[in-house]
Amino acid sequence: MRHEAIARNYAEVLFELGEQHGESERYGALLEALAAAVTATPQVLAVMMSPRVPKAAKAELLADALPDAPKPFVLFLQALVKRSRQGLLDEVAQVYTGMVDAKLNRVRVGVTLAHAADAALQQQISTSLTKALGKEALVRFAADPALLGGSVVRVGDRVHDGSLRRKMIMLRRQLLNR
């Protein structure tokens, strides 16, 4: 719980910086990319988390890795490292993304279908979700043949399971309970 609060505090500070400089979305994209790169690259993660690597070297490494990034953003990252909070980079990015989404009236939605959807179906689903939710739906599609048919839609913590697999499981339970 404590890490969530710390990550939220850092995200709020960065969001305020982004708002002051009119670059909230850019800061979010940079933060997401950096967090993904650090998490996905074990060597970089090892250097960033190593107590043997001086904080100044880590801060300089970040500045060198982001030559085109705005100076306030780089200074924020360096402050994060100097306070030994680089391990929270992914959590800060998630909180920050949520803040930008709220500001821009967006919601992230995960849609899992039994088969890969073509571009037309993806557009139709995205449009329908945007209309139903009253916010711009940023939809990420996935395919899972185990669903058999239908879809599973995730909006935040809510899951709407309209899959054929679930319906068959529910039917089976009803038949066994009689």
Side-chain angles (χ1 to χ4, degrees):
M1 188 69 151
R2 179 177 155 94
H3 291 290
E4 292 171 10
I6 294 169
R8 173 159 293 286
N9 288 340
Y10 278 99
E12 287 173 354
V13 168
L14 184 60
F15 187 76
E16 184 63 34
L17 276 173
E19 288 293 296
Q20 287 174 4
H21 295 96
E23 298 196 82
S24 330
E25 285 185 83
R26 183 173 180 210
Y27 284 12
L30 286 168
L31 189 60
E32 278 186 50
L34 180 64
V38 168
T39 305
T41 313
Q43 297 86 351
V44 174
L45 184 60
V47 168
M48 293 304 291
M49 297 307 294
S50 174
R52 292 184 177 185
V53 178
K55 292 177 182 177
K58 294 175 188 177
E60 188 176 323
L61 178 68
L62 284 172
D64 292 343
L66 300 166
D68 297 332
K71 187 159 182 76
F73 181 79
V74 173
L75 291 173
F76 168 82
L77 292 175
Q78 290 174 334
L80 199 70
V81 169
K82 287 179 183 174
R83 290 171 179 78
S84 299
R85 301 294 190 193
Q86 65 273 13
L88 297 176
L89 194 58
D90 195 41
E91 288 91 343
V92 172
Q94 290 175 8
V95 173
Y96 188 89
T97 299
M99 294 171 79
V100 171
D101 286 347
K103 174 190 172 215
L104 299 175
N105 199 32
R106 299 187 304 205
V107 63
R108 296 185 186 260
V109 180
V111 175
T112 306
L113 303 169
H115 304 286
D118 62 1
L121 181 58
Q122 287 183 2
Q123 180 61 40
Q124 182 182 6
I125 291 171
S126 295
T127 303
S128 296
L129 285 170
T130 296
K131 184 177 178 183
L133 297 171
K135 296 182 177 184
E136 179 187 359
L138 302 176
V139 185
R140 182 178 303 153
F141 289 92
D144 181 4
L147 294 181
L148 302 175
S151 65
V152 177
V153 179
R154 287 180 178 80
V155 181
D157 293 341
R158 292 184 180 183
V159 177
H160 305 280
D161 191 344
S163 67
L164 184 56
R165 176 181 65 188
R166 181 181 159 277
K167 290 177 183 177
M168 290 177 67
I169 289 170
M170 297 303 289
L171 181 61
R172 180 175 183 245
R173 285 182 186 162
Q174 286 177 351
L175 291 174
L176 291 175
N177 287 336
R178 286 186 179 194

